[in-house]
PDB file of all heavy atoms in Angstrom:
ATOM      1  N   ARG A1161      37.663  38.878   7.652  1.00 98.00           N
ATOM      2  CA  ARG A1161      38.513  38.467   8.788  1.00 98.00           C
ATOM      3  C   ARG A1161      38.776  39.646   9.730  1.00 98.00           C
ATOM      4  O   ARG A1161      38.848  39.477  10.922  1.00 98.00           O
ATOM      5  CB  ARG A1161      39.819  37.867   8.264  1.00 98.00           C
ATOM      6  CG  ARG A1161      40.661  37.182   9.324  1.00 98.00           C
ATOM      7  CD  ARG A1161      41.546  36.128   8.709  1.00 98.00           C
ATOM      8  NE  ARG A1161      42.643  35.688   9.557  1.00 98.00           N
ATOM      9  CZ  ARG A1161      42.602  34.664  10.401  1.00 98.00           C
ATOM     10  NH1 ARG A1161      41.480  33.978  10.546  1.00 98.00           N
ATOM     11  NH2 ARG A1161      43.656  34.302  11.098  1.00 98.00           N
ATOM     12  N   TYR A1162      38.949  40.835   9.164  1.00 98.00           N
ATOM     13  CA  TYR A1162      39.168  42.036   9.991  1.00 98.00           C
ATOM     14  C   TYR A1162      38.301  43.180   9.468  1.00 98.00           C
ATOM     15  O   TYR A1162      38.295  43.444   8.261  1.00 98.00           O
ATOM     16  CB  TYR A1162      40.641  42.462   9.945  1.00 98.00           C
ATOM     17  CG  TYR A1162      41.580  41.424  10.524  1.00 98.00           C
ATOM     18  CD1 TYR A1162      42.373  40.636   9.695  1.00 98.00           C
ATOM     19  CD2 TYR A1162      41.659  41.227  11.900  1.00 98.00           C
ATOM     20  CE1 TYR A1162      43.227  39.670  10.220  1.00 98.00           C
ATOM     21  CE2 TYR A1162      42.506  40.260  12.431  1.00 98.00           C
ATOM     22  CZ  TYR A1162      43.282  39.490  11.594  1.00 98.00           C
ATOM     23  OH  TYR A1162      44.108  38.533  12.114  1.00 98.00           O
ATOM     24  N   HIS A1170      45.695  48.057  13.443  1.00 98.00           N
ATOM     25  CA  HIS A1170      46.908  47.287  13.165  1.00 98.00           C
ATOM     26  C   HIS A1170      47.958  48.138  12.466  1.00 98.00           C
ATOM     27  O   HIS A1170      49.137  48.119  12.814  1.00 98.00           O
ATOM     28  CB  HIS A1170      46.570  46.061  12.311  1.00 98.00           C
ATOM     29  CG  HIS A1170      47.768  45.263  11.897  1.00 98.00           C
ATOM     30  ND1 HIS A1170      48.439  45.509  10.722  1.00 98.00           N
ATOM     31  CD2 HIS A1170      48.437  44.252  12.504  1.00 98.00           C
ATOM     32  CE1 HIS A1170      49.466  44.666  10.629  1.00 98.00           C
ATOM     33  NE2 HIS A1170      49.490  43.883  11.689  1.00 98.00           N
ATOM     34  N   TRP A1171      47.545  48.925  11.470  1.00 98.00           N
ATOM     35  CA  TRP A1171      48.537  49.684  10.704  1.00 98.00           C
ATOM     36  C   TRP A1171      49.085  50.872  11.485  1.00 98.00           C
ATOM     37  O   TRP A1171      50.213  51.303  11.254  1.00 98.00           O
ATOM     38  CB  TRP A1171      47.990  50.062   9.315  1.00 98.00           C
ATOM     39  CG  TRP A1171      47.811  48.814   8.474  1.00 98.00           C
ATOM     40  CD1 TRP A1171      46.643  48.319   7.968  1.00 98.00           C
ATOM     41  CD2 TRP A1171      48.832  47.860   8.093  1.00 98.00           C
ATOM     42  NE1 TRP A1171      46.861  47.137   7.299  1.00 98.00           N
ATOM     43  CE2 TRP A1171      48.188  46.827   7.357  1.00 98.00           C
ATOM     44  CE3 TRP A1171      50.205  47.762   8.311  1.00 98.00           C
ATOM     45  CZ2 TRP A1171      48.888  45.726   6.831  1.00 98.00           C
ATOM     46  CZ3 TRP A1171      50.894  46.670   7.795  1.00 98.00           C
ATOM     47  CH2 TRP A1171      50.247  45.674   7.067  1.00 98.00           C
ATOM     48  N   VAL A1173      49.770  50.594  14.678  1.00 99.00           N
ATOM     49  CA  VAL A1173      50.828  49.904  15.440  1.00 99.00           C
ATOM     50  C   VAL A1173      52.046  49.667  14.543  1.00 99.00           C
ATOM     51  O   VAL A1173      53.191  49.936  14.936  1.00 99.00           O
ATOM     52  CB  VAL A1173      50.313  48.554  16.006  1.00 99.00           C
ATOM     53  CG1 VAL A1173      51.456  47.799  16.703  1.00 99.00           C
ATOM     54  CG2 VAL A1173      49.173  48.766  16.985  1.00 99.00           C
ATOM     55  N   ALA A1174      51.791  49.187  13.319  1.00 98.00           N
ATOM     56  CA  ALA A1174      52.902  48.825  12.424  1.00 98.00           C
ATOM     57  C   ALA A1174      53.732  50.058  12.034  1.00 98.00           C
ATOM     58  O   ALA A1174      54.969  50.007  12.059  1.00 98.00           O
ATOM     59  CB  ALA A1174      52.361  48.124  11.186  1.00 98.00           C
ATOM     60  N   PHE A1177      55.698  51.190  14.947  1.00 98.00           N
ATOM     61  CA  PHE A1177      56.791  50.235  15.189  1.00 98.00           C
ATOM     62  C   PHE A1177      57.976  50.516  14.263  1.00 98.00           C
ATOM     63  O   PHE A1177      59.124  50.549  14.707  1.00 98.00           O
ATOM     64  CB  PHE A1177      56.299  48.797  14.998  1.00 98.00           C
ATOM     65  CG  PHE A1177      57.425  47.808  14.969  1.00 98.00           C
ATOM     66  CD1 PHE A1177      57.998  47.365  16.153  1.00 98.00           C
ATOM     67  CD2 PHE A1177      57.944  47.354  13.763  1.00 98.00           C
ATOM     68  CE1 PHE A1177      59.074  46.479  16.132  1.00 98.00           C
ATOM     69  CE2 PHE A1177      59.013  46.474  13.732  1.00 98.00           C
ATOM     70  CZ  PHE A1177      59.588  46.034  14.917  1.00 98.00           C
ATOM     71  N   GLN A1223      44.589  46.211  20.446  1.00 98.00           N
ATOM     72  CA  GLN A1223      44.697  44.892  19.805  1.00 98.00           C
ATOM     73  C   GLN A1223      44.666  43.785  20.855  1.00 98.00           C
ATOM     74  O   GLN A1223      44.041  42.753  20.667  1.00 98.00           O
ATOM     75  CB  GLN A1223      46.014  44.775  19.021  1.00 98.00           C
ATOM     76  CG  GLN A1223      46.042  45.596  17.754  1.00 98.00           C
ATOM     77  CD  GLN A1223      47.189  45.132  16.857  1.00 98.00           C
ATOM     78  OE1 GLN A1223      48.350  45.191  17.246  1.00 98.00           O
ATOM     79  NE2 GLN A1223      46.873  44.685  15.668  1.00 98.00           N
ATOM     80  N   TYR A1227      42.098  40.684  20.743  1.00 98.00           N
ATOM     81  CA  TYR A1227      42.537  39.354  20.305  1.00 98.00           C
ATOM     82  C   TYR A1227      42.995  38.400  21.397  1.00 98.00           C
ATOM     83  O   TYR A1227      43.221  37.221  21.094  1.00 98.00           O
ATOM     84  CB  TYR A1227      43.680  39.484  19.272  1.00 98.00           C
ATOM     85  CG  TYR A1227      43.335  40.367  18.099  1.00 98.00           C
ATOM     86  CD1 TYR A1227      44.143  41.446  17.750  1.00 98.00           C
ATOM     87  CD2 TYR A1227      42.196  40.120  17.345  1.00 98.00           C
ATOM     88  CE1 TYR A1227      43.819  42.268  16.682  1.00 98.00           C
ATOM     89  CE2 TYR A1227      41.859  40.940  16.275  1.00 98.00           C
ATOM     90  CZ  TYR A1227      42.679  42.020  15.953  1.00 98.00           C
ATOM     91  OH  TYR A1227      42.356  42.831  14.897  1.00 98.00           O
ATOM     92  N   ASN A1231      43.852  34.013  21.386  1.00 98.00           N
ATOM     93  CA  ASN A1231      45.248  33.569  21.403  1.00 98.00           C
ATOM     94  C   ASN A1231      45.605  32.719  22.614  1.00 98.00           C
ATOM     95  O   ASN A1231      46.791  32.521  22.906  1.00 98.00           O
ATOM     96  CB  ASN A1231      46.175  34.786  21.324  1.00 98.00           C
ATOM     97  CG  ASN A1231      46.210  35.373  19.921  1.00 98.00           C
ATOM     98  OD1 ASN A1231      46.857  34.840  19.036  1.00 98.00           O
ATOM     99  ND2 ASN A1231      45.462  36.447  19.713  1.00 98.00           N
ATOM    100  N   TYR A1259      43.567  31.303  14.894  1.00 98.00           N
ATOM    101  CA  TYR A1259      45.023  31.477  14.791  1.00 98.00           C
ATOM    102  C   TYR A1259      45.729  30.159  15.075  1.00 98.00           C
ATOM    103  O   TYR A1259      45.230  29.352  15.871  1.00 98.00           O
ATOM    104  CB  TYR A1259      45.501  32.546  15.785  1.00 98.00           C
ATOM    105  CG  TYR A1259      44.942  33.919  15.479  1.00 98.00           C
ATOM    106  CD1 TYR A1259      44.065  34.543  16.351  1.00 98.00           C
ATOM    107  CD2 TYR A1259      45.279  34.571  14.283  1.00 98.00           C
ATOM    108  CE1 TYR A1259      43.529  35.797  16.056  1.00 98.00           C
ATOM    109  CE2 TYR A1259      44.742  35.818  13.979  1.00 98.00           C
ATOM    110  CZ  TYR A1259      43.878  36.421  14.861  1.00 98.00           C
ATOM    111  OH  TYR A1259      43.346  37.651  14.559  1.00 98.00           O
ATOM    112  N   GLN A1263      51.174  31.769  15.491  1.00 98.00           N
ATOM    113  CA  GLN A1263      50.605  33.121  15.623  1.00 98.00           C
ATOM    114  C   GLN A1263      50.331  33.445  17.088  1.00 98.00           C
ATOM    115  O   GLN A1263      50.547  34.572  17.539  1.00 98.00           O
ATOM    116  CB  GLN A1263      49.316  33.224  14.808  1.00 98.00           C
ATOM    117  CG  GLN A1263      49.553  33.194  13.307  1.00 98.00           C
ATOM    118  CD  GLN A1263      48.237  33.160  12.539  1.00 98.00           C
ATOM    119  OE1 GLN A1263      47.453  32.214  12.685  1.00 98.00           O
ATOM    120  NE2 GLN A1263      47.988  34.162  11.732  1.00 98.00           N
ATOM    121  N   PHE A1267      51.928  36.322  19.371  1.00 98.00           N
ATOM    122  CA  PHE A1267      51.086  37.311  20.039  1.00 98.00           C
ATOM    123  C   PHE A1267      51.599  37.561  21.462  1.00 98.00           C
ATOM    124  O   PHE A1267      51.765  38.703  21.893  1.00 98.00           O
ATOM    125  CB  PHE A1267      49.632  36.804  20.074  1.00 98.00           C
ATOM    126  CG  PHE A1267      48.676  37.729  20.774  1.00 98.00           C
ATOM    127  CD1 PHE A1267      48.135  38.829  20.108  1.00 98.00           C
ATOM    128  CD2 PHE A1267      48.309  37.521  22.096  1.00 98.00           C
ATOM    129  CE1 PHE A1267      47.258  39.694  20.755  1.00 98.00           C
ATOM    130  CE2 PHE A1267      47.433  38.381  22.758  1.00 98.00           C
ATOM    131  CZ  PHE A1267      46.904  39.459  22.075  1.00 98.00           C
ATOM    132  N   MET A1270      54.858  39.424  21.573  1.00 98.00           N
ATOM    133  CA  MET A1270      54.595  40.855  21.348  1.00 98.00           C
ATOM    134  C   MET A1270      54.104  41.521  22.637  1.00 98.00           C
ATOM    135  O   MET A1270      54.560  42.613  22.998  1.00 98.00           O
ATOM    136  CB  MET A1270      53.512  41.043  20.272  1.00 98.00           C
ATOM    137  CG  MET A1270      53.918  40.723  18.861  1.00 98.00           C
ATOM    138  SD  MET A1270      52.425  40.811  17.826  1.00 98.00           S
ATOM    139  CE  MET A1270      53.051  40.324  16.236  1.00 98.00           C
ATOM    140  N   MET A1274      56.019  44.496  24.594  1.00 98.00           N
ATOM    141  CA  MET A1274      55.355  45.802  24.752  1.00 98.00           C
ATOM    142  C   MET A1274      55.391  46.242  26.215  1.00 98.00           C
ATOM    143  O   MET A1274      55.662  47.408  26.514  1.00 98.00           O
ATOM    144  CB  MET A1274      53.894  45.712  24.288  1.00 98.00           C
ATOM    145  CG  MET A1274      53.727  45.604  22.814  1.00 98.00           C
ATOM    146  SD  MET A1274      54.031  47.201  22.016  1.00 98.00           S
ATOM    147  CE  MET A1274      54.036  46.673  20.315  1.00 98.00           C
ATOM    148  N   ILE A1316      59.024  40.635  14.684  1.00 98.00           N
ATOM    149  CA  ILE A1316      58.207  41.270  13.638  1.00 98.00           C
ATOM    150  C   ILE A1316      58.728  40.871  12.252  1.00 98.00           C
ATOM    151  O   ILE A1316      57.944  40.723  11.307  1.00 98.00           O
ATOM    152  CB  ILE A1316      58.153  42.807  13.818  1.00 98.00           C
ATOM    153  CG1 ILE A1316      57.414  43.155  15.118  1.00 98.00           C
ATOM    154  CG2 ILE A1316      57.456  43.478  12.629  1.00 98.00           C
ATOM    155  CD1 ILE A1316      55.999  42.623  15.241  1.00 98.00           C
ATOM    156  N   HIS A1319      57.012  37.735  11.768  1.00 98.00           N
ATOM    157  CA  HIS A1319      55.572  38.018  11.571  1.00 98.00           C
ATOM    158  C   HIS A1319      55.310  38.468  10.126  1.00 98.00           C
ATOM    159  O   HIS A1319      54.412  37.961   9.460  1.00 98.00           O
ATOM    160  CB  HIS A1319      55.180  39.112  12.576  1.00 98.00           C
ATOM    161  CG  HIS A1319      53.777  39.604  12.500  1.00 98.00           C
ATOM    162  ND1 HIS A1319      52.697  38.861  12.899  1.00 98.00           N
ATOM    163  CD2 HIS A1319      53.265  40.805  12.084  1.00 98.00           C
ATOM    164  CE1 HIS A1319      51.585  39.568  12.729  1.00 98.00           C
ATOM    165  NE2 HIS A1319      51.910  40.756  12.239  1.00 98.00           N
ATOM    166  N   VAL A1320      56.143  39.398   9.637  1.00 98.00           N
ATOM    167  CA  VAL A1320      55.943  39.911   8.268  1.00 98.00           C
ATOM    168  C   VAL A1320      56.277  38.817   7.251  1.00 98.00           C
ATOM    169  O   VAL A1320      55.538  38.621   6.274  1.00 98.00           O
ATOM    170  CB  VAL A1320      56.836  41.162   8.021  1.00 98.00           C
ATOM    171  CG1 VAL A1320      56.752  41.615   6.571  1.00 98.00           C
ATOM    172  CG2 VAL A1320      56.431  42.291   8.955  1.00 98.00           C
ATOM    173  N   ALA A1323      53.453  36.428   7.082  1.00 97.00           N
ATOM    174  CA  ALA A1323      52.293  37.034   6.413  1.00 97.00           C
ATOM    175  C   ALA A1323      52.480  37.036   4.890  1.00 97.00           C
ATOM    176  O   ALA A1323      51.527  36.851   4.137  1.00 97.00           O
ATOM    177  CB  ALA A1323      52.080  38.453   6.924  1.00 97.00           C
ATOM    178  N   THR A1329      47.380  36.051   2.919  1.00 98.00           N
ATOM    179  CA  THR A1329      47.255  36.525   4.310  1.00 98.00           C
ATOM    180  C   THR A1329      47.294  38.050   4.393  1.00 98.00           C
ATOM    181  O   THR A1329      46.520  38.660   5.140  1.00 98.00           O
ATOM    182  CB  THR A1329      48.369  35.919   5.198  1.00 98.00           C
ATOM    183  OG1 THR A1329      48.371  34.504   5.027  1.00 98.00           O
ATOM    184  CG2 THR A1329      48.155  36.246   6.649  1.00 98.00           C
ATOM    185  N   ILE A1330      48.179  38.670   3.600  1.00 98.00           N
ATOM    186  CA  ILE A1330      48.285  40.133   3.629  1.00 98.00           C
ATOM    187  C   ILE A1330      46.927  40.773   3.315  1.00 98.00           C
ATOM    188  O   ILE A1330      46.529  41.762   3.923  1.00 98.00           O
ATOM    189  CB  ILE A1330      49.355  40.617   2.606  1.00 98.00           C
ATOM    190  CG1 ILE A1330      50.760  40.269   3.104  1.00 98.00           C
ATOM    191  CG2 ILE A1330      49.243  42.105   2.319  1.00 98.00           C
ATOM    192  CD1 ILE A1330      51.273  41.120   4.243  1.00 98.00           C
ATOM    193  N   MET A1333      44.722  41.761   6.138  1.00 98.00           N
ATOM    194  CA  MET A1333      44.995  42.992   6.885  1.00 98.00           C
ATOM    195  C   MET A1333      44.933  44.235   5.980  1.00 98.00           C
ATOM    196  O   MET A1333      44.998  45.353   6.473  1.00 98.00           O
ATOM    197  CB  MET A1333      46.378  42.879   7.516  1.00 98.00           C
ATOM    198  CG  MET A1333      46.541  43.227   8.962  1.00 98.00           C
ATOM    199  SD  MET A1333      45.134  43.649   9.920  1.00 98.00           S
ATOM    200  CE  MET A1333      45.382  42.638  11.368  1.00 98.00           C
TER     201      MET A1333
HETATM  202  C1  LIG B 112      55.218  45.977   9.645  1.00 92.11           C
HETATM  203  C2  LIG B 112      54.551  45.183   8.880  1.00 92.11           C
HETATM  204  C3  LIG B 112      53.444  44.235   9.314  1.00 92.11           C
HETATM  205  C4  LIG B 112      52.775  43.436   8.448  1.00 92.11           C
HETATM  206  C5  LIG B 112      53.003  43.311   6.942  1.00 92.11           C
HETATM  207  C6  LIG B 112      51.782  42.710   9.215  1.00 92.11           C
HETATM  208  C7  LIG B 112      50.857  41.817   8.695  1.00 92.11           C
HETATM  209  C8  LIG B 112      49.846  41.193   9.401  1.00 92.11           C
HETATM  210  C9  LIG B 112      48.827  40.336   8.816  1.00 92.11           C
HETATM  211  C10 LIG B 112      48.706  39.994   7.353  1.00 92.11           C
HETATM  212  C11 LIG B 112      48.023  39.900   9.824  1.00 92.11           C
HETATM  213  C12 LIG B 112      46.810  38.971   9.689  1.00 92.11           C
HETATM  214  C13 LIG B 112      47.202  37.530  10.036  1.00 92.11           C
HETATM  215  C14 LIG B 112      46.003  36.604  10.069  1.00 92.11           C
HETATM  216  O1  LIG B 112      44.879  37.067  10.240  1.00 92.11           O
HETATM  217  O2  LIG B 112      46.179  35.368   9.969  1.00 92.11           O
HETATM  218  C15 LIG B 112      48.519  40.482  11.050  1.00 92.11           C
HETATM  219  C16 LIG B 112      47.972  40.285  12.293  1.00 92.11           C
HETATM  220  C17 LIG B 112      48.433  40.837  13.457  1.00 92.11           C
HETATM  221  N1  LIG B 112      49.521  41.682  13.575  1.00 92.11           N
HETATM  222 FE1  LIG B 112      50.730  42.349  12.068  1.00 92.11          FE
HETATM  223  N2  LIG B 112      51.896  43.063  10.535  1.00 92.11           N
HETATM  224  C18 LIG B 112      52.905  43.989  10.647  1.00 92.11           C
HETATM  225  C19 LIG B 112      53.333  44.588  11.823  1.00 92.11           C
HETATM  226  C20 LIG B 112      52.834  44.324  13.077  1.00 92.11           C
HETATM  227  C21 LIG B 112      53.350  44.868  14.311  1.00 92.11           C
HETATM  228  C22 LIG B 112      54.533  45.842  14.394  1.00 92.11           C
HETATM  229  C23 LIG B 112      52.592  44.362  15.319  1.00 92.11           C
HETATM  230  C24 LIG B 112      52.712  44.582  16.809  1.00 92.11           C
HETATM  231  C25 LIG B 112      53.838  44.732  17.437  1.00 92.11           C
HETATM  232  C26 LIG B 112      51.594  43.497  14.737  1.00 92.11           C
HETATM  233  C27 LIG B 112      50.629  42.826  15.447  1.00 92.11           C
HETATM  234  C28 LIG B 112      49.669  42.003  14.905  1.00 92.11           C
HETATM  235  C29 LIG B 112      48.647  41.314  15.685  1.00 92.11           C
HETATM  236  C30 LIG B 112      48.466  41.381  17.199  1.00 92.11           C
HETATM  237  C31 LIG B 112      47.871  40.601  14.767  1.00 92.11           C
HETATM  238  C32 LIG B 112      46.671  39.701  15.098  1.00 92.11           C
HETATM  239  C33 LIG B 112      47.201  38.276  15.227  1.00 92.11           C
HETATM  240  C34 LIG B 112      46.921  37.631  16.542  1.00 92.11           C
HETATM  241  O3  LIG B 112      46.078  38.115  17.309  1.00 92.11           O
HETATM  242  O4  LIG B 112      47.580  36.578  16.844  1.00 92.11           O
HETATM  243  N3  LIG B 112      51.775  43.486  13.367  1.00 92.11           N
HETATM  244  N4  LIG B 112      49.633  41.254  10.759  1.00 92.11           N
END
Side-chain angles (χ1 to χ4, degrees):
R1161 190 154 163 92
Y1162 297 105
H1170 176 269
W1171 293 117
V1173 176
F1177 169 81
Q1223 288 196 299
Y1227 306 125
N1231 285 283
Y1259 296 114
Q1263 290 174 298
F1267 178 82
M1270 288 173 183
M1274 288 285 171
I1316 294 303
H1319 177 72
V1320 174
T1329 308
I1330 288 286
M1333 228 4 132

